[in-house]
Amino acid sequence: MNIEDLRVYCLSKKGVEETLPFGPETLVYKVMGKAFLLTGLDALTLSFNVKCDPEKAVTLREEHSCILPGFHMNKKHWNTIEPDGSVSDKFLCEQIDHSYELVVSGLTKKQRQDLDKYF
């Protein structure tokens, strides 16, 4: 997976917007205004932060050397993934999906109803 693959995948999800709230170096993907993925644009290699269920986060870090506690994030709820070829793109997409779904599950009923109006 490269940055363009990541971008296309994130933007294919319902209600997602691409933002630069921290300046031109950090790309943030949000659903209904809530962040579910952050990635740096100035790095030589791709890495990104995703939300994760706290118990699952610990397990993933133990099982995969490319998954670390969230860089500059709440390490209980965020993982940093540094794709190094040790996991498949499908696995990476599953982590993105999990993050997106966690954020959507935390939305208000009204926000989820508004999200349902997207394509």
Side-chain angles (χ1 to χ4, degrees):
M1 178 175 284
N2 61 39
I3 188 73
E4 189 56 30
D5 295 333
L6 178 76
R7 180 178 187 272
V8 168
Y9 190 74
C10 288
L11 289 175
S12 73
K13 302 188 117 359
K14 189 186 294 189
V16 170
E17 65 178 327
E18 183 178 63
T19 66
L20 295 164
F22 306 115
E25 299 86 23
T26 305
L27 191 57
V28 180
Y29 290 94
K30 298 179 178 182
V31 56
M32 303 304 290
K34 306 283 185 186
F36 72 93
L37 187 142
L38 297 88
T39 187
L41 294 174
D42 57 352
L44 296 175
T45 59
L46 176 66
S47 71
F48 55 91
N49 291 349
V50 286
K51 284 193 79 126
C52 192
D53 172 82
E55 290 180 24
K56 182 178 179 177
V58 172
T59 301
L60 288 170
R61 293 173 200 159
E62 291 171 352
E63 294 175 352
H64 304 282
S65 61
C66 65
I67 301 180
L68 309 165
F71 183 69
H72 286 303
M73 304 296 286
N74 180 327
K75 290 162 183 23
K76 181 177 179 181
H77 297 279
W78 288 84
N79 278 338
T80 295
I81 301 178
E82 298 176 342
D84 60 3
S86 65
V87 296
S88 68
D89 283 359
K90 179 181 178 195
F91 176 85
L92 297 175
C93 290
E94 288 169 357
Q95 303 318 301
I96 296 167
D97 293 344
H98 177 66
S99 180
Y100 176 88
E101 291 161 8
L102 276 176
V103 172
V104 168
S105 71
L107 296 175
T108 65
K109 183 177 178 180
K110 168 119 174 55
Q111 287 173 314
R112 285 193 305 272
Q113 288 172 341
D114 289 345
L115 182 60
D116 286 340
K117 295 175 186 173
Y118 285 85
F119 58 94

